[in-house]
Amino acid sequence: MTEWLERAVQRAQQPNQQLPFAWQKIRQQARQQLQQSIWPTRKTEAWKYTSLYQLGQQSFELGNIDGQASEIADLSSIDIVFDGQAWRLPKQPLPAGISIRMLSDEAVLPSGFASIKPARHLFGQVNDALFADALIIEVAADTTIEPVVRLCINNREAFEQHARAFVSVAENAKLTVLEQLEGTASGLTNTCTEFDLSEYATLNHYRLQLQTEQSYCVGGDFFRLAQHSKLNSHIIGFGAAMSRLDVDVEHAGEHALATMNAIYLLDGEEHFDLHTTIEHAVAHGTTEENVRGIVADRAQAVFNGRIHIHRDAQKTLAELNNRNLLLSRRAEINTKPELEIYADDVRCAHGATVAEIDDAALYYLTSRGINKAEAMVMLNFGFVNELVEQMPDEPIAALMRKQLRQRFSTMQAN
């Protein structure tokens, strides 16, 4: 056990009898699991390309963080900021049909809470043991919530934070959630967000992980899809000193649709590790997953995408595609798309490519008076813009176009 994990276990041993029994039980189980946990090394298959050694030696403090919600032009949003310990609830009146409250105000745990996240997720266990309070968002049946619910998290130098949220979208309801992680400090952010979609529910989900080379960022997003529900997820990830994001989707009802797009852009010595797991447990499910990455300088990207088709998941349609651009001979990309199929009447495909900038395209642009730096920005932007164009909320797409241009202009090709 490392210094960091030992400290986490010690912190989790502090009792709080004020908490509901079910909440205490989650903490107790997490504490017991952590005491028996083996810290992953490069010999652990799921961590083969991501080292936790540096994180294991860190000693962060717990405390309040003066986080703010940065502006997004023309976006109508309900902003909820995490202060390092708990979420600051919005003061504005909420639209009819949505409830936003804290777990500490509940006599019992909401149905589905802590049941979507996998039990063996290391940083999920740490989150179970250490989250000070959880955010509960519920949308009533047959309700469309127009403002985007925005969860804002900033990091702080030498501090760690464990943010927890549970989102429930009832039958035939529609909601958009934006998780926005920012900050230039060297702290640790550990997030765990569960999404429970009922029949015919629709969720537009964004995760903008825009921290920097000094930061540590771990955790995951976990989705359960009921019959005829729709998930439309968009993830943008910049690198960090160490970043590991797990995204799990469970097709629990027939005719559910999961569309997942992800972009990662790395520079310097940044690291970004994205693991996705799609479980098709029932028939007639559909998954479309597209992941694109651009890696420059000495950065390192890891993508592991697994689609698991269970025996009863007949008539499943699933596609997984990962395309990457290397801008430097010293950069590194490790990609592993996986299909595991036990049903015999399915249509599935997967693929991965790693390539360099097309010299002919670069020559074409520079020969027409465009300098090389601007030509590189244009080519990189063209590589990922197809996924940005699929974002249904234009203010968020516009923000990302601006962020991506700034990012491309600083990425170094060597």
Side-chain angles (χ1 to χ4, degrees), residues 240-257:
M242 196 287 290
S243 173
R244 168 64 177 256
L245 173 64
D246 290 272
V247 179
D248 291 4
V249 178
E250 177 190 1
H251 284 257
E254 294 187 358
H255 299 283
L257 168 63

Side-chain angles (χ1 to χ4, degrees), residues 6-26:
E6 283 184 1
R7 178 172 289 213
V9 172
Q10 290 171 2
R11 286 167 169 161
Q13 289 174 340
Q14 300 174 7
N16 188 338
Q17 300 301 327
Q18 302 300 318
L19 301 178
F21 173 75
W23 188 352
Q24 291 186 42
K25 187 176 180 181
I26 291 174

Side-chain angles (χ1 to χ4, degrees), residues 238-364:
F238 295 171
M242 196 287 290
S243 173
R244 168 64 177 256
L245 173 64
D246 290 272
V247 179
D248 291 4
V249 178
E250 177 190 1
H251 284 257
E254 294 187 358
H255 299 283
L257 168 63
T259 302
M260 301 172 60
N261 293 333
I263 300 170
Y264 46 81
L265 308 169
L266 312 183
D267 199 7
E269 296 185 358
E270 293 175 344
H271 178 93
F272 184 83
D273 183 344
L274 174 63
H275 271 56
T276 66
T277 301
I278 317 295
E279 296 284 354
H280 280 274
V282 295
H284 299 286
T286 301
T287 294
E288 298 176 4
E289 183 175 5
N290 281 287
V291 179
R292 298 191 183 181
I294 300 177
V295 186
D297 204 4
R298 289 172 292 179
Q300 182 187 51
V302 183
F303 171 69
N304 195 121
R306 177 173 178 261
I307 297 179
H308 181 195
I309 314 293
H310 294 242
R311 189 177 303 277
D312 294 332
Q314 304 292 348
K315 306 293 183 183
T316 292
L317 303 178
E319 293 187 0
L320 166 60
N321 184 273
N322 176 223
R323 294 171 58 190
N324 297 279
L325 270 183
L326 273 177
L327 301 188
S328 165
R329 297 296 173 88
R330 296 179 297 178
E332 183 176 331
I333 296 173
N334 296 286
T335 176
K336 186 182 178 186
E338 299 178 59
L339 280 176
E340 189 173 340
I341 303 173
Y342 295 96
D344 55 12
D345 187 10
V346 301
R347 192 169 68 193
C348 301
H350 73 299
T353 61
V354 178
E356 298 179 346
I357 283 284
D358 185 349
D359 288 338
L362 186 61
Y363 174 78
Y364 177 85

Side-chain angles (χ1 to χ4, degrees), residues 42-238:
R42 300 293 284 269
K43 295 182 179 179
T44 307
E45 181 62 26
W47 296 89
K48 187 174 181 180
Y49 300 107
T50 296
S51 173
L52 291 176
Y53 176 79
Q54 192 174 0
L55 173 62
Q57 312 308 311
Q58 298 294 326
S59 178
F60 298 111
E61 297 295 328
L62 293 174
N64 292 329
I65 295 171
D66 186 22
Q68 302 293 329
S70 58
E71 293 292 329
I72 298 181
D74 301 322
L75 180 70
S76 173
S77 62
I78 301 169
D79 296 340
I80 307 170
V81 179
F82 192 68
D83 70 1
Q85 300 286 322
W87 299 91
R88 296 203 295 262
L89 296 179
K91 297 180 180 179
Q92 68 203 80
L94 298 177
I98 186 170
S99 168
I100 301 177
R101 57 194 191 275
M102 302 306 299
L103 180 63
S104 56
D105 296 329
E106 303 292 298
V108 296
L109 294 180
S111 175
F113 185 89
S115 68
I116 304 175
K117 173 186 68 61
R120 294 182 177 275
H121 191 277
L122 172 64
F123 292 102
Q125 292 170 350
V126 174
N127 195 293
D128 279 347
L130 294 181
F131 74 85
D133 207 344
L135 180 70
I136 309 297
I137 301 173
E138 291 182 340
V139 179
D142 303 314
T143 304
T144 296
I145 304 299
E146 293 293 346
V148 174
V149 175
R150 192 158 64 123
L151 310 183
C152 304
I153 302 176
N154 290 266
N155 62 4
R156 180 182 170 185
E157 191 74 24
F159 275 69
E160 68 179 57
Q161 53 187 331
H162 304 273
R164 186 62 168 267
F166 175 76
V167 180
S168 175
V169 186
E171 292 85 357
N172 201 37
K174 183 177 180 180
L175 177 69
T176 299
V177 174
L178 165 60
E179 298 180 275
Q180 191 169 349
L181 284 66
E182 297 179 308
T184 59
S186 64
L188 167 69
T189 302
N190 178 18
T191 66
C192 180
T193 309
E194 296 176 295
F195 299 88
D196 193 5
L197 276 63
S198 299
E199 294 182 7
Y200 293 94
T202 299
L203 173 69
N204 291 326
H205 167 257
Y206 300 89
R207 182 182 177 101
L208 309 183
Q209 194 167 304
L210 309 179
Q211 296 180 333
T212 63
E213 194 173 347
Q214 291 73 38
S215 308
Y216 295 85
C217 189
V218 296
D221 289 319
F222 309 100
F223 304 88
R224 178 184 291 155
L225 310 184
Q227 191 171 10
H228 290 282
S229 61
K230 295 180 181 178
L231 166 66
N232 187 14
S233 177
H234 302 265
I235 296 170
I236 305 277
F238 295 171

